[in-house]
Amino acid sequence: MPAIVIVGAQWGDEGKGKATDALGAHVDYVVKFNGGNNAGHTVVVGGEKYALHLLPSGILTPDVVPVIGNGVVIDLKVLFGEIDALTARGIDCSRLLVSANAHLIPGYNRTLDRVTERFLGKRRIGTTGRGIGPTYADKMNRIGLRVQDLLDEHILQQKVEGALDQKNHLLVKVYNRRAISVEETVEDLMSYAERMRPMIADTAKVLVDALDGGRTVLFEAGQATQLDVDHGNYPFVTSSNATSGGACTGSGVPPTRIDTVVAVAKAYATRVGEGPFPTELFDADGERLRRVGGEFGTTTGRPRRCGWYDAPVVRYATRINGLTDLVLTKLDVLTGVEQLPVCVAYDVDGVRQEDIPLTQSDFHHAKPVYEYFDGWTEDLAGIRSFEDLPKNAQRYVLALEEMAGVRISA
Ligand code: IMP
């Protein structure tokens, strides 16, 4: 399995880090290919807990080369904050490689993310406020700043001037904020340039060379299928491609080199931020999932919205990502629920639909059609194989497998 992509099947926070770790020992490169420090996963290694937002999880495994691909947006303060914190705990971060073409999140885009959300009011997206959206917008608008610009201060200065020419009008005239200075922005970014220099690489070439040499490369998506800017519930999405296609555009490794695509799905569903969520629970059952599942955001600490498993959402992930395997997490959180509802289709204004509706309005109106499964009361802690699961848990997993249309491999 030389090139493996791991994605989220639902709305994020499915436990992709755990699945990555499980493969960790056999992997030579771990690549982050989309998003930025809007992501967050907690990894426990040797009893020590690490919260990572920007660094690929491979940073914790001594022989793995962690790579930040061209599709990522980087907040330099956060990057070096994480590197310094890990170094202080004895983790060697010197293997990290960063694409020269990855984009930088300048301070003004953090400001814009927050003021835009405030301005949107009721129509807000519920972003993480990290400047992700404005930075991807700049990339598409061709006024973005890239990692390689740190190698030429003169060019960086010109690019910041060009961007701020537009953005200061917006900040001052529309949002009533103070203008941001070119000098301060350039100075802030350049303060990281010398530390960044040795990490900057043509990562697309490094990765294809590695695959040619028979190495195993793991591509780790941030966010998840329903948050993908093209294939998620737009506009309540992040601003990058979190599906398997993003692994190619976000790293420079062509689709013909990908062998395996694994999605991680929770045994129920959660979401942070705004947007449609047909199986969302507003009652004691939702509270219970949040409490037992510890469903609070790693990045913002926000309580996650919780609901029952939505089979059409995962089946959609199978198709969009071309899944070869599905990993199911947090089955243990469902222990003790007498009857487990699974959404098998939607009722959209009185019409049954098996798949995610075509239009945003219909998805907003979609009501779950539930099928019920008998629950179990046994504690699942310590169970490592399917055969050891209680019979009702086995039935639940097999039903989800059939509905997803892909093998559940862990
Ligand atoms: P942004 O990525 O900060 O622009 O936020 C856009 C949407 O994606 C919001 O609904 C966020 O809550 C959501 N989001 C971004 N990153 C994550 C993540 O890692 N897990 C879950 N939701 C996320």
Side-chain angles (χ1 to χ4, degrees):
M1 298 200 300
I4 309 159
V5 180
I6 295 198
V7 298
Q10 298 148 316
W11 285 276
D13 311 306
E14 295 93 349
K16 294 184 291 288
K18 245 185 251 158
T20 308
D21 284 351
L23 288 162
H26 316 287
V27 168
D28 301 298
Y29 292 77
V30 175
V31 186
K32 180 178 169 79
F33 62 81
N34 76 305
N37 56 312
N38 46 349
H41 46 252
T42 310
V43 189
V44 182
V45 182
E48 291 258 344
K49 210 170 174 181
Y50 301 91
L52 300 177
H53 296 286
L54 184 53
L55 288 169
S57 61
I59 198 92
L60 301 171
T61 316
D63 297 324
V64 168
V65 179
V67 176
I68 293 183
N70 56 278
V72 174
V73 289
I74 302 174
D75 183 324
L76 291 168
K77 186 169 177 213
V78 172
L79 177 70
F80 286 105
E82 286 192 2
I83 290 176
D84 290 344
L86 290 180
T87 308
R89 292 169 75 179
I91 308 276
D92 173 23
C93 295
S94 64
R95 294 157 294 141
L96 178 68
L97 298 178
V98 181
S99 167
N101 294 344
H103 279 244
L104 300 172
I105 304 179
Y108 50 76
N109 280 346
R110 280 192 298 278
T111 306
L112 277 166
D113 194 357
R114 287 175 198 157
V115 292
T116 313
E117 280 280 280
R118 229 171 287 150
F119 208 72
L120 280 171
K122 238 171 53 237
R123 286 175 294 118
R124 72 185 177 278
I125 308 296
T127 73
T128 59
R130 304 294 195 262
I132 307 291
T135 301
Y136 279 113
D138 285 358
K139 173 177 174 173
M140 294 308 175
N141 225 356
R142 291 158 297 182
I143 55 164
L145 313 173
R146 294 189 294 173
V147 165
Q148 60 182 281
D149 298 328
L150 295 171
L151 304 177
D152 187 334
E153 185 169 350
H154 181 63
I155 290 283
L156 181 71
Q157 165 105 16
Q158 281 183 2
K159 291 190 174 180
V160 172
E161 266 168 19
L164 279 178
D165 261 356
Q166 301 180 17
K167 289 175 190 262
N168 274 336
H169 281 292
L170 199 61
L171 278 169
V172 174
K173 293 184 186 150
V174 179
Y175 296 124
N176 209 13
R177 306 281 296 216
R178 76 172 177 86
I180 289 174
S181 113
V182 173
E183 286 67 33
E184 261 173 49
T185 305
V186 172
E187 207 176 293
D188 175 46
L189 294 169
M190 284 306 293
S191 68
Y192 300 99
E194 282 317 304
R195 287 190 73 188
M196 196 70 184
R197 189 181 289 272
M199 299 178 199
I200 304 176
D202 180 349
T203 48
K205 180 165 175 11
V206 168
L207 293 171
V208 169
D209 287 350
L211 288 170
D212 285 343
R215 307 273 179 194
T216 299
V217 179
L218 184 70
F219 299 87
E220 187 184 55
Q223 294 78 50
T225 304
Q226 289 299 328
L227 293 175
D228 182 286
V229 67
D230 284 283
H231 302 292
N233 345 120
Y234 189 91
F236 302 102
V237 292
T238 192
S239 300
S240 65
N241 287 116
T243 45
S244 59
C248 296
T249 51
S251 73
V253 171
T256 45
R257 304 304 299 264
I258 307 293
D259 305 275
T260 303
V261 184
V262 183
V264 184
K266 257 182 221 180
Y268 49 99
T270 64
R271 166 163 213 169
V272 272
E274 308 300 319
F277 184 6
T279 64
E280 182 168 15
L281 294 164
F282 299 96
D283 57 8
D285 284 335
E287 253 325 302
R288 186 193 166 282
L289 289 175
R290 191 171 304 115
R291 180 175 43 80
V292 180
E295 298 295 353
F296 296 89
T298 324
T299 298
T300 57
R302 290 181 286 181
R304 294 180 184 139
R305 300 159 65 191
C306 295
W308 300 122
Y309 187 87
D310 186 325
V313 159
V314 178
R315 193 162 55 243
Y316 179 80
T318 305
R319 172 161 60 79
I320 288 287
N321 295 292
L323 296 186
T324 54
D325 298 87
L326 186 65
V327 172
L328 199 65
T329 56
K330 292 196 147 181
L331 190 62
D332 55 331
V333 174
L334 299 179
T335 293
V337 181
E338 239 170 81
Q339 286 283 300
L340 284 164
V342 169
C343 167
V344 295
Y346 305 112
D347 175 328
V348 182
D349 302 325
V351 179
R352 182 181 166 113
Q353 294 209 14
E354 304 296 324
D355 293 314
I356 294 184
L358 181 72
T359 66
Q360 188 191 342
S361 304
D362 278 357
F363 200 27
H364 276 284
H365 296 176
K367 295 201 176 52
V369 175
Y370 285 122
E371 215 171 88
Y372 294 84
F373 291 82
D374 289 336
W376 58 90
T377 51
E378 296 89 336
D379 183 4
L380 306 188
I383 294 184
R384 290 283 162 268
S385 77
F386 177 76
E387 291 68 35
D388 294 338
L389 285 173
K391 280 284 167 278
N392 282 348
Q394 291 191 8
R395 276 188 208 106
Y396 184 74
V397 172
L398 290 176
L400 301 195
E401 180 170 69
E402 196 185 330
M403 289 180 219
V406 63
R407 180 172 55 131
I408 294 185
S409 59

